Amino acid sequence: MKVLVTGAAHGLGRALTEQLLANGHEVVAVDRDIEPLEKLALKHRGACLAGFADLQKVESVESLLVRQHGNKFDLVILNAGISATGKFEEIPPEAYDRLISVNLFAPLHLASRLVGNDLMSAKSKIVFISSLSHAVGYPGGAVYAATKDAIASYARSISKPFHKKRVSVLTVFPGPIDTGHAEKHSPHGSSRSKRMAPDKLARLILRASRGRSKILYPGGKTYLAALFGRLFPGLATRLMRRGLYDKMAGPSY
Amino acid sequence: MADRVSRSNKAQSGRARTVLITGATDGIGLLLARAYAGRGHKVLATGRRVLTNDQDLFQSPNAVYITADQSDPAHACSAIVSAMQNIGWQQLDLAILNGATAWVGPPEDEPVDGMKQLLDVNFRFHIHLAHALAPLLFEAAGQLVMVGSTATKKAQGRFATYTATKAGLDGLCRSLREEWSGRADVLIVHPGPTRTNMHAKAGLKIGFARWFFMSPLRVASAIQYAIRRGDKRRMITRYFAFKARFSRAGEGRL
């Protein structure tokens, strides 16, 4: 199986890439931080290809797509994401620009062109990584949540037209993950035990990517939180405010 | 509830309120601008077009128009903020972020520059502007209103990016409302299909379906009704628009 993973150098992307390689798949691992990927490519000679792309820049995404010309992917995981947390009005708009480019424009661009340029094989799958914030809101990460909601909506919309092209779509709504990203954006002193290990999440995502479901709330706790958010949207967002926003020390972007 | 109290206190003083409306050269935005200006409020209307006859278009001397191209959010926002300084607005009672475009077609055929522009106009601009307006809105304990779309309720295979931008605004409002609670209200209205020129501009031929679309005038007055009531998230359905014609709720408010 030929796989493309974005944001593959660290965190969840790294865990996904390593598991895919261990299962004997061929991976094009994409990141802006190329060094760790080159080491991985050296270790898995032939199976892993390190692909540089800065998803903040549209030209960089274009050139990544050009370099993949002739490839046929069976699985594409649009995992790369960044965040900006703090009071909405205290975060500079430039940080929001980066957020929108990486979290929203890049995955839309990649998904649209991968299918449009015939880079997906028949019966292939595109995986979008949204967030549990889609169900519970995220005061203190309003624009992050907005990009993740937009991604979830886009994934839902393209599911039917892409199905005609024999490409299916899976959207994942993970809760907090135990990565450097979470460490940077959570309030100080919040416990790591509530966060999911990236290896476990990667396993769940890869299992779901083999199945037929279109959405995945990974893990029982995430599922329950999402259910709560659906049933009591106002209360869920208020609790998120108490738990996160009110405890935030300062903006982090 | 503190925000509600302070705003209604200010409303009783009966002063003319300051209202910003984006995308006000056509469709729902134009009707909103005319309505608020007609009721004696001070309106700053923005749009992409360069207008020479703005007093005629808005049918009122209370409306000021400036050109702000939303496809360049940073530039458009600084134009709007400096225009407000020039006309001496110290605070903003109501901001309606209405301007939007659309693209219709299969998602795999969507041109990349068009997609970028759509995200800029419908989404990135709104974030930049909300950010720029925050101090002025806090000053007045005002209302920030985003215009979404009922399209977000379902999967939309032929306008996926448009729907994604509107769903993004919905998510933004949900979290921002909680962040700003007590300082300013954040509302979102989701109009249903409306008989405006947006569909034609997006290259969509709607034909007879046009007759089933709501009239922009009805939608504009339903939006005003939702704003008066302070509805946090309102689907502007036919039923709601009908109710808006007869209800007196929120009367006397902006």
Side-chain angles (χ1 to χ4, degrees):
Chain A
M1 199 164 73
K2 199 159 208 173
V3 189
L4 179 98
V5 181
T6 67
H10 306 283
L12 175 61
R14 174 80 181 201
L16 284 164
T17 307
E18 280 175 353
Q19 285 183 21
L20 284 161
L21 288 169
N23 294 344
H25 301 299
E26 213 178 309
V27 182
V28 178
V30 177
D31 208 291
R32 182 177 57 165
D33 190 5
I34 195 79
E35 241 172 72
L37 292 183
E38 275 167 349
K39 279 184 197 149
L40 203 64
L42 264 164
K43 206 169 124 196
H44 300 266
R45 213 176 278 272
C48 179
L49 203 82
F52 172 83
D54 182 354
L55 300 183
Q56 286 178 35
K57 299 194 178 79
V58 60
E59 315 84 58
S60 189
V61 178
E62 291 280 3
S63 103
L64 172 72
L65 285 161
V66 169
R67 276 178 280 141
Q68 301 312 317
H69 188 78
N71 260 346
K72 288 276 192 186
F73 291 107
D74 303 292
L75 176 64
V76 169
I77 306 179
L78 301 171
N79 152 78
I82 53 173
S83 191
T85 47
K87 293 191 164 93
F88 172 80
E89 61 279 8
E90 283 179 5
I91 296 166
E94 295 72 40
Y96 291 142
D97 290 346
R98 286 198 293 275
L99 205 57
I100 295 165
S101 301
V102 176
N103 289 11
L104 183 55
F105 182 43
L108 262 59
H109 182 178
L110 281 167
S112 166
R113 288 341 301 151
L114 281 168
V115 175
N117 295 355
D118 215 17
L119 295 174
M120 301 296 290
S121 68
K123 285 192 177 173
S124 56
K125 182 157 265 172
I126 299 180
V127 180
F128 290 94
I129 310 289
S130 179
S131 163
L132 178 60
S133 69
H134 181 60
V136 297
Y138 191 178
V143 179
Y144 173 84
T147 60
K148 293 299 187 183
D149 284 345
I151 275 294
S153 162
Y154 187 77
R156 188 168 65 150
S157 291
I158 62 173
S159 157
K160 216 173 191 178
F162 279 15
H163 186 72
K164 285 182 199 150
K165 304 255 169 192
R166 310 197 70 193
V167 179
S168 56
V169 176
L170 169 70
T171 315
V172 186
F173 300 89
I177 315 170
D178 192 8
T179 59
H181 174 109
E183 199 59 54
K184 187 179 164 197
H185 293 288
S186 304
H188 290 298
S190 65
S191 103
R192 279 181 60 185
S193 62
K194 284 179 192 159
R195 300 180 203 150
M196 189 181 257
D199 282 326
K200 187 183 172 196
L201 179 57
R203 260 199 313 280
L204 292 172
I205 292 173
L206 292 179
R207 195 174 68 190
S209 74
R210 290 190 294 269
R212 297 175 62 132
S213 58
K214 286 183 182 169
I215 55 166
L216 168 68
Y217 282 96
K221 267 193 253 172
T222 314
Y223 186 81
L224 284 177
L227 194 67
F228 182 75
R230 286 265 173 263
L231 291 173
F232 310 104
L235 181 62
T237 316
R238 216 168 311 141
L239 289 174
M240 284 292 281
R241 176 191 162 135
R242 291 228 187 107
L244 291 171
Y245 184 72
D246 292 347
K247 287 182 189 160
M248 273 174 186
S252 167
Y253 45 86
Chain B
M1 270 346 234
D3 47 331
R4 291 282 161 75
V5 175
S6 61
R7 206 181 55 246
S8 52
N9 284 346
K10 282 182 182 176
Q12 281 160 12
S13 68
R15 67 181 167 83
R17 324 296 291 279
T18 49
V19 182
L20 170 75
I21 299 167
T22 70
T25 54
D26 203 357
I28 298 170
L30 175 61
L31 296 169
L32 286 171
R34 278 182 187 160
Y36 283 109
R39 288 209 294 274
H41 300 300
K42 290 182 274 184
V43 173
L44 179 65
T46 78
R48 184 174 36 176
R49 277 161 48 195
V50 178
L51 291 183
T52 47
N53 57 339
D54 50 327
Q55 305 261 307
D56 300 342
L57 186 68
F58 299 113
Q59 302 168 349
S60 164
N62 295 331
V64 178
Y65 176 82
I66 60 151
T67 305
D69 186 352
Q70 295 184 192
S71 62
D72 185 354
H75 188 257
C77 285
S78 64
I80 291 169
V81 169
S82 60
M84 289 200 287
Q85 279 167 355
N86 288 342
I87 52 179
W89 288 11
Q90 307 290 327
Q91 57 179 44
L92 187 60
D93 295 297
L94 175 62
I96 306 178
L97 277 53
N98 156 78
T101 56
W103 182 86
V104 179
E108 67 273 18
D109 293 343
E110 187 163 3
V112 171
D113 45 347
M115 185 188 262
K116 167 105 178 64
Q117 197 180 345
L118 194 55
L119 292 181
D120 284 347
V121 171
N122 287 13
F123 185 65
R124 196 156 72 88
F125 168 77
H126 291 63
I127 290 164
H128 274 246
L129 190 58
H131 190 274
L133 297 178
L136 290 155
L137 286 164
F138 294 165
E139 192 60 45
Q143 288 172 297
L144 174 68
V145 183
M146 306 247 182
V147 178
S149 166
T150 47
T152 53
K153 285 205 286 190
K154 289 183 191 152
Q156 305 290 350
R158 282 176 58 72
F159 35 107
T161 308
Y162 169 83
T163 311
T165 61
K166 296 300 193 184
L169 292 183
D170 191 61
L172 177 73
C173 286
R174 179 181 185 180
S175 299
L176 196 57
R177 180 183 307 132
E178 203 55 50
E179 282 195 26
W180 283 8
S181 100
R183 292 184 285 172
D185 275 2
V186 180
L187 325 176
I188 185 158
V189 290
H190 290 290
T194 309
R195 229 177 290 141
T196 62
N197 293 326
M198 190 175 78
H199 311 93
K201 284 177 188 166
L204 180 67
K205 292 190 181 74
I206 48 176
F208 285 118
R210 209 176 157 78
W211 297 106
F212 296 98
F213 285 16
M214 281 187 283
S215 112
L217 200 61
R218 291 254 189 287
V219 172
S221 55
I223 289 174
Q224 291 167 62
Y225 177 55
I227 293 170
R228 276 202 304 278
R229 300 203 327 174
D231 288 347
K232 293 186 178 102
R233 182 170 184 268
R234 170 55 63 187
M235 297 285 163
I236 308 288
T237 56
R238 240 171 220 293
Y239 172 66
F240 182 77
F242 178 76
K243 222 166 65 169
R245 291 169 70 184
F246 301 104
S247 173
R248 305 177 80 87
E251 213 171 43
R253 299 258 288 273
L254 199 139

